[in-house]
Amino acid sequence: MKILVTGGAGFIGGNFVKYMVNKYSDYDIYNLDLLTYAGDLTKHQDISTKKNYHFVKADIADHEAITTLFDKEKFDFVVHFAAESHVDRSIADPGVFIRTNVLGTQILLDAAKKIGVTKFVHVSTDEVYGELDFDTTSFFTEGTPLQPNSPYSASKASSDLLVRSYHETYGLPVNITRCSNNYGPYHFPEKLIPLTISRVLSDQKIPVYGDGKNVRDWLHVFDHCTAIDLVMHKGVNGEVYNVGGHNERTNLEVVTTIIKALGKSENLIEFVEDRLGHDKRYAIDPTKIEKLGWKSTYTFETGIVQTIQWYLENKEWWQQIISGEYQKYFENQYSI
Ligand code: NAD
Ligand code: DAU
């Protein structure tokens, strides 16, 4: 069985590739990635010599490269993670989000249709649903209308609609997963949790947007990997599955939890200008995927302890990232 994982050098795709290579020695796992600023192969040093691991450097928006690869390898499954994924970057420069997330997805769908894959799993996000109010009783279900608010979420919603259309029009066997905020090992330090951990560890200020009361629903990346494994094998063709573990926290709660765990002072928090169009609250109703057989294993309390420990033990990985191009990004994005 040949499985193509796009974006397998990034955060979630990288964890998924490791999980699949170790779990299924009889599956050939192909990690296709362009190695943008967000992708790196050092995270796969432990699996790169395994017989069932393969790497292909390619751009999903390169029609010829993708079509040629699919014609040659005849993949059975495609699990599609590759994307531009950071909301702040989409606000600063939306164009590349449309090219990668929309055009790239359409090119993959065409190539998958041409060879007749067994399943195309499209990894999407709860952000396509827009935002919820600050109550504790409303949740995103698979029936919630799409109402994306940022250029990033609009590009993901567009790709979701394309995936749906290839199922409805051509009968391509697809699933769409819409997950809440992930965290865990190899999370790129531009996102809230790894940014906070890495800056607290060097006694630097933590930029919190607005009043810090926005709410996100945090899922450990391992639990996201098990969900995708399940959907890939058992998902009903054409269906959407929301993934989340009921771990809602305000941003301020997340940041103070990390500061406390590392024994530092809350004086490190600096409230900065709010993100444009900042979605108030995300929260997932995971009933449908739970009925399919999925259950999360981490709570936020257990997951954040594991994650902080990982960042303490793997300083060389994130220190090498924040010492490069990242510094320019940080200076442009923040004025602290
Ligand atoms: P990431 O930014 O860490 O990784 C993205 C990967 O895609 C990188 O390795 C990058 O090199 C690669 N890539 C980018 N453009 C490419 C191109 N044109 N061709 C080939 N490869 C390319 O992202 P992530 O956080 O791991 O997210 C993965 C997927 O999961 C995305 O589709 C995202 O929308 C979705 N998602 C993320 C979260 C989250 O909390 N991070 C939650 C729900 C859904
Ligand atoms: O919900 C799923 C989404 O989660 C994914 O689709 C995205 O790819 C992923 O990046 C993530 O989006 P968010 O915008 O929610 O994640 P981020 O870590 O950027 O921000 C989390 C919250 O923290 C958000 O309310 C904004 C806030 N924040 C973020 C940063 C980077 C701050 O207050 N300060 C910061 O410096």
Side-chain angles (χ1 to χ4, degrees):
M1 186 110 78
K2 284 189 178 184
I3 322 281
L4 177 72
V5 180
T6 72
F11 164 46
I12 310 175
N15 277 281
F16 184 72
V17 163
K18 249 187 221 286
Y19 168 91
M20 293 297 283
V21 164
N22 289 326
K23 180 167 177 188
Y24 298 105
S25 56
D26 55 334
Y27 288 6
D28 276 303
I29 310 297
Y30 288 75
N31 168 13
L32 181 152
D33 201 291
L34 182 59
L35 301 180
T36 67
Y37 81 92
D40 82 276
L41 293 177
T42 61
K43 55 172 66 91
H44 289 154
Q45 269 161 6
D46 56 334
I47 54 165
S48 61
T49 53
K50 293 208 174 194
K51 273 205 199 108
N52 63 337
Y53 174 84
H54 313 270
F55 175 68
V56 183
K57 184 171 180 194
D59 179 352
I60 58 165
D62 179 341
H63 183 270
E64 199 184 327
I66 295 300
T67 310
T68 308
L69 179 73
F70 273 65
D71 286 347
K72 178 171 166 246
E73 299 293 352
K74 303 272 187 272
F75 301 114
D76 298 291
F77 285 80
V78 177
V79 185
H80 176 33
F81 294 90
E84 288 294 332
S85 70
H86 193 36
V87 172
D88 291 327
R89 288 184 192 255
S90 84
I91 294 167
D93 182 14
V96 65
F97 285 71
I98 306 307
R99 182 179 184 277
T100 298
N101 301 359
V102 185
L103 179 65
T105 300
Q106 185 265 321
I107 285 171
L108 287 170
L109 286 166
D110 255 354
K113 170 167 85 71
K114 187 164 173 234
I115 63 164
V117 297
T118 304
K119 176 85 85 185
F120 188 106
V121 180
H122 177 59
V123 181
S124 190
T125 169
D126 60 356
E127 293 198 18
V128 299
Y129 297 124
E131 64 176 357
L132 296 165
D133 279 329
F134 288 121
D135 58 81
T136 48
T137 49
S138 57
F139 296 96
F140 293 137
T141 70
E142 290 77 2
T144 303
L146 302 192
Q147 243 172 354
N149 291 321
S150 70
Y152 160 70
S153 54
S155 71
K156 291 296 289 187
S158 307
S159 64
D160 287 20
L161 295 178
L162 281 168
V163 174
R164 178 190 144 83
S165 79
Y166 272 65
H167 175 68
E168 297 299 321
T169 304
Y170 307 112
L172 189 71
V174 305
N175 286 121
I176 297 173
T177 59
R178 295 189 180 132
C179 191
S180 59
N181 286 59
N182 282 215
Y183 68 102
Y186 298 110
H187 202 181
F188 195 87
E190 65 189 348
K191 310 279 168 66
L192 181 68
I193 286 183
L195 181 141
T196 301
I197 298 173
S198 59
R199 290 184 69 84
V200 170
L201 284 174
S202 33
D203 291 306
Q204 288 173 302
K205 291 278 186 187
I206 318 303
V208 172
Y209 294 153
D211 58 10
K213 290 194 179 137
N214 299 60
V215 172
R216 295 294 181 265
D217 184 0
W218 294 96
L219 187 77
H220 192 280
V221 66
F222 173 78
D223 287 327
H224 192 184
C225 292
T226 62
I228 292 170
D229 182 10
L230 177 71
V231 168
M232 195 186 126
H233 289 97
K234 299 255 173 69
V236 177
N237 286 338
E239 293 294 314
V240 175
Y241 296 93
N242 285 354
V243 190
H246 284 303
N247 286 293
E248 288 178 51
R249 297 287 181 284
T250 66
N251 294 335
L252 210 46
E253 284 168 339
V254 168
V255 170
T256 51
T257 300
I258 295 169
I259 290 175
K260 271 191 201 137
L262 290 169
K264 297 287 174 82
S265 159
E266 287 183 19
N267 290 337
L268 286 176
I269 294 171
E270 180 146 338
F271 292 97
V272 298
E273 195 180 330
D274 208 353
R275 173 185 279 177
L276 295 177
H278 196 174
D279 285 335
K280 291 200 276 281
R281 172 174 167 260
Y282 304 148
I284 287 275
D285 174 357
T287 306
K288 185 172 173 181
I289 193 162
E290 285 176 351
K291 281 191 184 146
L292 195 68
W294 177 80
K295 205 171 174 318
S296 60
T297 58
Y298 284 94
T299 60
F300 185 71
E301 283 69 29
T302 57
I304 198 69
V305 168
Q306 186 270 359
T307 302
I308 292 171
Q309 191 56 32
W310 187 90
Y311 277 81
L312 285 168
E313 287 167 7
N314 292 273
K315 281 188 180 159
E316 69 291 351
W317 180 77
W318 56 266
Q319 280 178 345
Q320 160 254 321
I321 291 171
I322 62 173
S323 64
E325 270 297 297
Y326 178 90
Q327 282 191 351
K328 240 187 255 160
Y329 162 78
F330 197 92
E331 280 161 24
N332 284 337
Q333 179 65 26
Y334 303 96
S335 51
I336 58 170

